[in-house]
Amino acid sequence: MIGIEKVSLSVIKMPLKSPFENALEKVTEREAILLEVLDKEGVAGFGEAVAFSTPWYTEETVQTCFHMLKDVLVPLLREKPVAHPKEVSGRFRSVRRNHMAKAAIETAIWDLYAKKKQKPLWRLIGGARDRVDAGVAVGSHDTADALRQIGAFVDEGYKRVKVKIKPGHDEAFVREIRDAFPDLTLMADANSTYTLADAPRLKRLDRYGLLMIEQPLAADDIVEHAALQKQLETPVCLDESIVTYHDAESALRLGSFRALNIKIGRVGGLYPAIRLHDLCASRGISVWCGGMIEFGVSRAFNLALASLPGFTIPGDISSSSRFWEKDIIEPEITAENGQIRLPDRPGTGFEIDRAYVKKIRTYTETI
């Protein structure tokens, strides 16, 4: 049984090395919640709430996550111990949505559980490889800057590049990238900025050999995405539209997507993410691990998730140095020749740099 003795919540904030921009927001600094759970034997597990400071990606924010964790989710866990981290999602069934808050504590318990078992988390969940291919997202809408960044990432060996598109900044942008990098594994993320009326515009992207177009239509839609996918040769990938297992089943029935971005925070935890992986693997659907401009704790869980056999597309899992002058974990995550090696140590395999966390912490509270 996993008995939680104490939970600590720390709000941390750091500037990005360079701004990250999409059609909805320009991120220059990142705020998140670092969560630590401690059991009666003094073993600690860590999770990260990856909501942003404002609700541009989902309705959750750092402040709403803090409230949900402190006042709702932690009290639910204190009612009785859990035998296995898989039970945590069920314990939260009475709480609607708030997936990023749920994922923060659910992942921390996975880390704690793996440490108590003295096993690397990726092995514990059935990981099939000890290295994962690294992909990277370029969040610049300036073509010259995007080309410069892509060139640097290609030189570093990254296996896949994602660029951000929006109406009026799509075909010409993609064409210039494809002309400069004809063999690059390239995908485009639209962040829900198109409508079904834009299908002819999106159809023109078929000629550039994109791996996929991610979330072109509304963030809560699966019906119009099915209509769009029928018109495109390029696979449609869903992101924001899929937050539950039921969402995915429904979208599969409709034929709404041919690839799925799985984000642990968006779907409510590691176990819900694993279930989505298993569902898609059973239907022959490609999956990959999406990124949220995370600190190292969340990125470590992404690494473990991406070790599962169905993750055949390089995810948004890059070196810590992609965003940070210094990360909060030791050792930092490092991509070498386009791959990241999974640590062979208990839990996520990374330690927290507590002195540095204290330096960038803006608020903390212990329950």
Side-chain angles (χ1 to χ4, degrees), residues 39-304:
D39 75 355
K40 297 180 185 300
E41 288 76 42
V43 181
F46 292 89
E48 180 183 330
V50 297
F52 290 94
S53 301
T54 59
W56 64 267
Y57 176 71
T58 71
E59 68 275 17
E60 289 183 86
T61 67
V62 171
Q63 287 191 340
T64 65
C65 284
F66 200 99
H67 155 60
M68 289 302 301
L69 286 162
K70 175 187 174 183
D71 299 323
V72 180
L73 300 178
V74 172
L76 280 174
L77 278 182
R78 291 175 65 182
E79 290 180 358
K80 61 179 180 179
V82 296
H84 194 281
K86 290 180 179 180
E87 299 175 15
V88 175
S89 299
R91 186 73 62 87
F92 295 154
R93 194 172 291 120
S94 63
V95 179
R96 293 184 184 272
R97 299 184 72 89
N98 291 284
H99 296 288
M100 293 180 182
K102 292 175 180 178
I105 193 162
E106 192 253 16
T107 50
I109 291 172
W110 272 105
D111 184 35
L112 172 63
Y113 181 78
K115 287 173 178 173
K116 291 178 75 68
K117 291 290 185 181
Q118 286 294 299
K119 290 185 178 180
L121 176 64
W122 65 274
R123 292 187 186 275
L124 193 66
I125 65 173
R129 56 182 76 90
D130 63 1
R131 298 168 182 261
V132 300
D133 287 337
V136 68
V138 173
S140 175
H141 284 146
D142 179 84
T143 303
D145 183 52
L147 288 169
R148 179 191 60 77
Q149 290 189 45
I150 292 169
F153 290 131
V154 169
D155 289 343
E156 291 176 32
Y158 281 99
K159 306 294 187 183
R160 187 230 72 204
V161 172
K162 178 170 77 174
V163 295
K164 302 290 185 174
I165 61 171
K166 60 183 177 180
H169 181 78
D170 39 39
E171 186 182 7
F173 180 58
V174 170
R175 182 175 61 245
E176 288 200 47
I177 295 171
R178 180 54 79 205
D179 287 346
F181 302 96
D183 300 320
L184 176 66
T185 301
L186 180 67
M187 60 178 285
D189 185 2
N191 290 111
S192 304
T193 55
Y194 294 86
T195 69
L196 194 55
D198 293 310
R201 176 193 289 271
L202 293 168
K203 176 68 177 172
R204 290 198 291 271
L205 297 179
D206 279 344
R207 68 189 70 174
Y208 301 107
L210 295 176
L211 182 64
M212 65 187 77
I213 300 174
E214 183 180 359
Q215 198 67 41
L217 308 181
D220 58 356
D221 170 76
I222 58 174
V223 175
E224 292 190 346
H225 277 102
L228 178 65
Q229 180 65 93
K230 290 180 175 66
Q231 300 179 56
L232 300 183
E233 296 173 21
T234 306
V236 168
C237 171
L238 291 184
D239 177 3
E240 293 96 325
S241 292
I242 306 299
V243 296
T244 67
Y245 191 91
H246 176 72
D247 291 340
E249 282 190 311
S250 299
L252 284 168
R253 290 192 188 102
L254 292 171
S256 306
F257 66 99
R258 285 163 44 197
L260 180 63
N261 172 345
I262 301 179
K263 294 176 179 173
I264 295 171
R266 190 189 78 235
V267 304
L270 183 59
Y271 183 54
I274 293 169
R275 292 187 69 224
L276 285 172
H277 160 273
D278 295 347
L279 172 65
C280 289
S282 72
R283 307 291 181 87
I285 297 293
S286 301
V287 300
W288 58 282
C289 185
M292 289 285 292
I293 316 178
E294 297 102 339
F295 294 96
V297 171
S298 179
R299 197 170 300 230
F301 283 101
N302 291 349
L303 277 176

Side-chain angles (χ1 to χ4, degrees), residues 17-52:
K17 289 171 65 175
S18 59
F20 188 87
E21 185 175 3
N22 59 34
L24 302 174
E25 186 75 355
K26 184 175 182 178
V27 182
T28 58
E29 65 177 9
R30 186 66 162 105
E31 186 180 35
I33 300 170
L34 176 64
L35 184 146
E36 178 182 6
V37 296
L38 199 69
D39 75 355
K40 297 180 185 300
E41 288 76 42
V43 181
F46 292 89
E48 180 183 330
V50 297
F52 290 94

